Coordinates of all heavy atoms in Angstrom, one line a residue:
A66 N 0.6 -3.0 -12.9 CA 0.5 -4.1 -13.9 C 0.2 -3.7 -15.1 O 0.8 -4.2 -16.3 CB -0.6 -5.2 -13.4
I67 N -0.6 -2.6 -15.5 CA -1.0 -2.2 -16.7 C 0.2 -1.5 -17.3 O 0.5 -1.7 -18.6 CB -2.3 -1.2 -16.6 CG1 -3.5 -2.0 -16.2 CG2 -2.4 -0.4 -17.9 CD1 -4.7 -1.2 -15.9
L68 N 0.9 -0.7 -16.6 CA 2.0 0.0 -17.2 C 3.2 -0.8 -17.5 O 4.0 -0.6 -18.3 CB 2.5 1.1 -16.2 CG 1.4 2.3 -16.0 CD1 1.9 3.2 -14.9 CD2 1.3 3.0 -17.3
S69 N 3.2 -2.0 -16.7 CA 4.4 -2.9 -17.0 C 4.4 -3.6 -18.5 O 5.4 -4.0 -18.9 CB 4.4 -4.0 -15.9 OG 3.3 -5.0 -16.2
G70 N 3.2 -3.7 -18.9 CA 3.0 -4.3 -20.2 C 3.0 -5.9 -20.1 O 2.9 -6.6 -21.1
D71 N 3.1 -6.4 -18.9 CA 3.2 -7.8 -18.6 C 1.8 -8.3 -18.7 O 1.0 -8.1 -17.6 CB 4.0 -8.2 -17.3 CG 4.0 -9.6 -16.9 OD1 3.3 -10.5 -17.5 OD2 4.8 -9.9 -16.2
K72 N 1.3 -9.0 -19.7 CA 0.0 -9.5 -19.8 C -0.5 -10.5 -18.8 O -1.6 -10.5 -18.3 CB -0.2 -10.2 -21.1 CG 0.0 -9.2 -22.4 CD -1.1 -8.2 -22.5 CE -0.9 -7.3 -23.8 NZ -1.7 -6.2 -23.7
E73 N 0.5 -11.3 -18.4 CA 0.1 -12.3 -17.3 C -0.2 -11.5 -15.9 O -1.1 -11.8 -15.3 CB 1.3 -13.3 -17.2 CG 0.9 -14.3 -16.0 CD -0.3 -15.1 -16.4 OE1 -0.7 -15.4 -17.5 OE2 -1.0 -15.5 -15.3
E74 N 0.7 -10.6 -15.6 CA 0.6 -9.9 -14.5 C -0.8 -9.0 -14.5 O -1.6 -8.9 -13.6 CB 1.7 -8.9 -14.2 CG 1.5 -8.2 -12.9 CD 2.6 -7.2 -12.6 OE1 3.6 -7.0 -13.5 OE2 2.7 -6.6 -11.5
Q75 N -1.1 -8.5 -15.6 CA -2.4 -7.8 -15.8 C -3.6 -8.8 -15.6 O -4.5 -8.3 -14.8 CB -2.5 -7.2 -17.3 CG -1.3 -6.1 -17.5 CD -1.4 -5.7 -18.9 OE1 -1.9 -6.3 -19.7 NE2 -0.4 -4.7 -19.2
R76 N -3.6 -9.8 -16.2 CA -4.6 -10.8 -16.0 C -4.8 -11.2 -14.5 O -5.9 -11.3 -14.0 CB -4.4 -12.0 -16.9 CG -4.6 -11.9 -18.4 CD -4.5 -13.2 -19.1 NE -4.4 -12.9 -20.5 CZ -3.3 -12.8 -21.1 NH1 -2.2 -13.1 -20.5 NH2 -3.2 -12.5 -22.5
Q77 N -3.6 -11.4 -13.9 CA -3.7 -11.9 -12.5 C -4.2 -10.7 -11.7 O -5.1 -11.1 -10.7 CB -2.3 -12.2 -12.0 CG -2.2 -12.6 -10.5 CD -0.9 -12.7 -10.0 OE1 0.2 -12.6 -10.7 NE2 -0.6 -13.0 -8.7
K78 N -3.8 -9.5 -11.7 CA -4.4 -8.4 -11.0 C -6.0 -8.2 -11.2 O -6.8 -8.1 -10.3 CB -3.7 -7.1 -11.2 CG -2.2 -7.2 -10.9 CD -2.0 -7.4 -9.3 CE -0.5 -7.5 -9.1 NZ -0.3 -8.1 -7.8
I79 N -6.3 -8.3 -12.4 CA -7.8 -8.1 -12.7 C -8.5 -9.3 -12.2 O -9.6 -9.1 -11.7 CB -8.0 -8.0 -14.4 CG1 -7.3 -6.8 -14.9 CG2 -9.4 -8.0 -14.6 CD1 -7.8 -5.4 -14.3
S80 N -8.0 -10.5 -12.4 CA -8.7 -11.7 -11.8 C -8.8 -11.6 -10.3 O -10.0 -11.9 -9.8 CB -7.9 -13.1 -12.2 OG -8.5 -14.0 -11.6
E81 N -7.8 -11.2 -9.6 CA -7.9 -11.0 -8.1 C -8.8 -9.9 -7.8 O -9.8 -10.2 -6.8 CB -6.6 -10.6 -7.6 CG -5.5 -11.6 -7.6 CD -4.1 -11.0 -7.3 OE1 -3.9 -9.7 -7.2 OE2 -3.1 -11.9 -7.2
L82 N -8.9 -8.8 -8.4 CA -9.9 -7.8 -8.2 C -11.3 -8.3 -8.4 O -12.3 -8.1 -7.6 CB -9.6 -6.5 -9.1 CG -10.5 -5.3 -8.8 CD1 -10.3 -4.9 -7.5 CD2 -10.0 -4.3 -9.8
M83 N -11.6 -9.1 -9.4 CA -13.0 -9.7 -9.7 C -13.4 -10.6 -8.7 O -14.5 -10.6 -8.3 CB -12.9 -10.3 -11.2 CG -12.7 -9.3 -12.4 SD -13.9 -7.8 -12.3 CE -15.5 -8.7 -12.4
Q84 N -12.4 -11.3 -8.2 CA -12.8 -12.3 -7.3 C -13.2 -11.6 -6.0 O -14.1 -12.0 -5.3 CB -11.6 -13.2 -6.9 CG -11.3 -14.3 -8.1 CD -10.1 -15.1 -7.7 OE1 -9.5 -15.1 -6.8 NE2 -9.7 -15.7 -8.8

Side-chain angles (χ1 to χ4, degrees):
I67 291 169
L68 294 175
S69 75
D71 182 338
K72 297 292 184 191
E73 182 57 35
E74 184 181 7
Q75 292 169 0
R76 284 186 198 95
Q77 179 186 358
K78 296 299 180 198
I79 297 300
S80 175
E81 291 169 349
L82 185 58
M83 292 307 297
Q84 288 173 13

